[in-house]
Amino acid sequence: MSLIGIGSDLCDIRRIERVIARHGERFLDRVFTQAERRRAERRNGQARLGAYAKRWAAKEACAKALGTGFAQGVYHRDLGVENLPGGQPVMVLTGGARVRLRALLPPGGEARILLTMTDEYPYAFAQVMIAQATGPA
């Protein structure tokens, strides 16, 4: 594999809590995918807020790894965190984020996006690495 981009983000969970309290559904709908919302809403209290904050951090980290931030057609909802059956989080890119990723790869190239996230109140952290896959994973 050859590294294409790397990004990380540290998020204050209390900030996400304030934004949700102030903007509620409008914020949640604008930023998070339905899969992300379902996962977070299965939790209560700080665990719920931590789930949202980790996903916020993952989106920020992935936008940095793409080299655009939230510009050039890359929006928060284009970057989604889903979980494999075993629980491993994975990034799912759609819309402008997928277009940007394709632009970073040679024709026919495949990307591998590696994601790790964690939270320990009051912080959530995520790191994303995007690599060009060179063979079977």
Side-chain angles (χ1 to χ4, degrees):
M1 281 194 294
S2 68
L3 188 62
I4 292 172
I6 186 168
S8 62
D9 190 70
L10 180 67
C11 176
D12 189 324
I13 296 170
R14 298 166 295 191
R15 178 174 169 243
I16 298 299
E17 180 178 26
R18 288 190 301 271
V19 173
I20 291 172
R22 182 172 180 190
H23 299 287
E25 290 297 313
R26 190 168 50 121
F27 168 73
L28 295 173
D29 283 340
R30 184 174 54 93
V31 172
F32 298 100
T33 66
Q34 288 302 310
E36 290 171 317
R37 292 194 62 187
R38 279 192 302 274
R39 184 148 184 110
E41 293 300 327
R42 289 197 310 248
R43 293 168 170 72
N44 294 307
Q46 283 185 0
R48 175 180 167 266
L49 296 170
Y52 278 124
K54 283 188 291 194
R55 282 153 182 78
W56 174 273
K59 292 167 186 285
E60 292 279 343
C62 192
K64 292 171 186 174
L66 288 170
T68 59
F70 291 102
Q72 300 179 33
V74 176
Y75 300 98
H76 286 88
R77 287 203 42 169
D78 291 340
L79 305 164
V81 177
E82 295 184 9
N83 294 81
L84 298 177
Q88 178 185 354
V90 294
M91 293 297 307
V92 176
L93 278 56
T94 60
R98 180 180 282 170
V99 170
R100 173 63 181 162
L101 178 60
R102 286 279 161 225
L104 295 173
L105 296 169
E110 291 293 322
R112 182 146 186 234
I113 303 174
L114 305 169
L115 166 65
T116 186
M117 16 182 235
T118 189
D119 67 296
E120 180 68 39
Y121 191 84
Y123 299 107
F125 174 80
Q127 185 169 39
V128 170
M129 292 192 314
I130 302 173
Q132 181 180 336
T134 56

